[in-house]
Amino acid sequence: MENTPEYSDWQEVLTLIHRAIDVGHEEKLLKMLLTQDERDTLVTRVNIVNELLKGEISQRQLSQMLGVGVATITRGSNELKQFDESEKAWLVELLKK
């Protein structure tokens, strides 16, 4: 028995999630892996990205709307700056309901 974890990087976790999706068990896996607070935070982060891409309200308004600090919104904004226009367009399409 080795004393090293079987999953040691992000890509391996993504592969695990893809395998769960392939068999229709992504919700079960994510509920098992993430606490309720972490799931709520993920929903907030999706809303941050969605609203930043829309560009209709200020970061301060977004902060107030979602009940998070401006620094949290700024981190999301900084992450988006790493995406080129085609990646941002892909995100916009992905986030459409």
Side-chain angles (χ1 to χ4, degrees):
M1 183 166 104
E2 289 186 36
N3 286 330
T4 59
E6 192 165 335
Y7 291 88
S8 59
D9 68 31
W10 177 243
Q11 193 57 52
E12 291 173 330
V13 173
L14 289 176
T15 299
L16 176 67
I17 294 169
H18 283 288
R19 289 195 338 247
I21 290 168
D22 288 345
V23 295
H25 292 293
E26 63 276 9
E27 183 176 359
K28 288 179 185 179
L29 176 66
L30 292 173
K31 277 188 172 182
M32 188 269 304
L33 292 176
L34 303 170
T35 66
Q36 183 61 52
D37 284 345
E38 291 166 332
R39 293 191 302 266
D40 292 344
T41 298
L42 191 56
V43 171
T44 299
R45 288 178 186 258
V46 167
N47 279 303
I48 289 169
V49 169
N50 189 43
E51 292 300 327
L52 287 171
L53 287 168
K54 285 181 186 177
E56 296 171 355
I57 62 175
S58 72
Q59 288 189 18
R60 184 164 305 285
Q61 290 170 312
L62 182 54
S63 168
Q64 292 170 349
M65 180 177 90
L66 297 176
V68 299
V70 174
T72 302
I73 307 301
T74 300
R75 279 193 298 275
S77 176
N78 289 339
E79 286 298 316
L80 277 176
K81 289 176 185 173
Q82 297 179 39
F83 284 71
D84 65 30
E85 291 307 311
S86 67
E87 291 169 321
K88 288 178 185 177
W90 169 81
L91 274 172
V92 167
E93 285 302 311
L94 182 68
L95 291 167
K96 285 184 181 177
K97 283 192 160 188

